[in-house]
Amino acid sequence: MNATRLTIKRLSSACLLLSTVLLSAFLLTGCGTRWKASPIEDVGNLDGRRVGVEIACDTDYALTGRSDLKVVRYDSLPGILLALQYDKVDVMALDELRWRFTEASHSGLHCITPAFATSGYRIYFSSKLRDVRDEFNGFLKTYRTSGEYASFLSRLAAFDGKEYTGPEIPLTGTGRVLRVAIDASAFPRSFAEADGDTPSGFDLEALKLFANERNYRLEFTISSYDDMIYGLQGGVYDIAAGFLSDLRDAESLSTYLCVSDSLYEVPLYFIEKTQADIELIEE
């Protein structure tokens, strides 16, 4: 296999699948008749608008404390979409990659530019592996000047919301084992395919290249955010990867975890409705 590919229909994350079911159900009822357009003119002043965010995600961290808006937290992206459809919130906030796969499957939504913030994505290390974290940061400095990284940024920018296309990176290390937990629901940053030998995603590419260069062996465990953090603290895992934002740094450092330099950055956007009903493009 020359490249790893994953379509929305095969995502391990249930977000878009669940939103498809829920939106299909209520769009048949013709909701949203009281909606009136009120476009955002200044991303720095939302004039009291209610903003739907996924709880404890980067948008939640970025917006908490802003006095010009009201943050309304939901457990999942489908919950935010439902709230926006029923006008329980006025706008939602998403990072660029999550916006792209939302845009690919729904119409009636508009991304407001410029971005209101940016988020950099990290790798977490156990507090006992500060030396490995420092090695990884050193690797990143060189990696960012390479053609491989230029290709990475190009593919990141070209992500269409439907497929992740990344290089096949066979793991060649034969030395020290590093136990890696990944958030399998963080497509396209980290995810596992049923027919794949190892997980894939934007957040894992640099880690695989680093391990090969330094002769580390990576052993992956499919996990979730909470399990990754508790596992790092308890010594079950050595490394965690997948949707780990630099906006969480203060919280992460307070739990004595080691965080890497940023792998890459993405903008965070406000998303508003352009019509009364959000419509499904594909299921």
Side-chain angles (χ1 to χ4, degrees):
M1 184 171 64
N2 295 325
T4 301
R5 296 180 180 272
L6 187 70
T7 63
I8 285 177
K9 292 181 180 180
R10 298 173 58 205
L11 289 181
S12 58
S13 169
C15 287
L16 288 179
L17 298 179
L18 180 57
S19 66
T20 296
V21 174
L22 295 175
L23 286 171
S24 294
F26 72 66
L27 288 180
L28 293 175
T29 65
C31 303
T33 57
R34 292 173 293 182
W35 174 82
K36 291 184 179 180
S38 181
I40 294 172
E41 297 180 355
D42 180 1
V43 297
N45 180 12
L46 263 63
D47 196 25
R49 285 178 175 85
R50 301 161 298 172
V51 182
V53 302
E54 191 169 350
I55 190 169
C57 283
D58 45 8
T59 50
D60 187 0
Y61 283 88
L63 294 174
T64 294
R66 277 187 49 166
S67 60
D68 62 303
L69 53 83
K70 179 181 179 182
V71 175
V72 186
R73 298 174 177 86
Y74 294 88
D75 290 333
S76 65
L77 177 55
I80 304 173
L81 284 166
L82 284 169
L84 187 61
Q85 167 65 23
Y86 282 118
D87 303 318
K88 300 298 183 183
V89 296
D90 305 300
V91 61
M92 64 180 179
L94 296 174
D95 71 82
E96 184 177 45
L97 296 185
R98 288 168 70 80
W99 158 241
R100 287 182 190 169
F101 64 70
T102 301
E103 179 186 32
S105 56
H106 301 83
S107 65
L109 297 170
H110 173 61
C111 178
I112 307 299
T113 55
F116 67 84
T118 61
S119 180
Y121 292 95
R122 313 277 210 192
I123 300 291
Y124 285 6
F125 294 79
S126 163
S127 60
K128 296 180 180 180
L129 270 72
R130 293 182 184 275
D131 58 333
V132 180
R133 188 277 310 271
D134 293 343
E135 277 188 76
F136 183 70
N137 284 345
F139 166 82
L140 285 179
K141 290 180 181 179
T142 302
Y143 176 56
R144 290 195 190 100
T145 66
S146 69
E148 286 177 314
Y149 190 67
S151 174
F152 169 83
L153 293 179
S154 177
R155 288 184 288 104
L156 186 70
F159 175 63
D160 64 359
K162 296 182 179 181
E163 293 185 346
Y164 160 85
T165 303
E168 185 176 357
I169 306 175
L171 299 178
T172 60
T174 59
R176 179 180 178 181
V177 173
L178 297 177
R179 300 162 297 173
V180 184
I182 69 144
D183 186 343
S185 66
F187 176 85
R189 296 178 175 87
S190 64
F191 60 93
E193 291 186 289
D195 57 351
D197 294 330
T198 60
S200 301
F202 291 122
D203 289 12
L204 302 182
E205 292 184 27
L207 182 61
K208 291 178 180 180
L209 293 171
F210 163 73
N212 288 346
E213 181 179 292
R214 303 302 171 92
N215 199 36
Y216 289 120
R217 287 185 291 158
L218 300 182
E219 292 185 354
F220 288 97
T221 298
I222 308 305
S223 183
S224 63
Y225 175 76
D226 287 340
D227 179 68
M228 291 192 307
I229 301 305
Y230 293 139
L232 282 180
Q233 294 171 335
V236 177
Y237 308 126
D238 300 311
I239 297 173
F243 209 3
L244 300 174
S245 170
D246 60 0
L247 296 170
R248 301 174 184 259
D249 279 358
E251 176 184 287
S252 301
L253 293 171
S254 71
T255 60
Y256 305 104
L257 299 178
C258 297
V259 301
S260 76
D261 294 338
S262 292
L263 306 172
Y264 60 94
E265 293 187 347
V266 298
L268 309 181
Y269 292 113
F270 292 122
I271 312 299
E272 63 185 5
K273 289 201 299 186
T274 58
Q275 58 193 40
D277 290 325
I278 301 169
E279 297 177 350
L280 291 168
I281 297 174
E282 60 178 74
E283 296 186 5

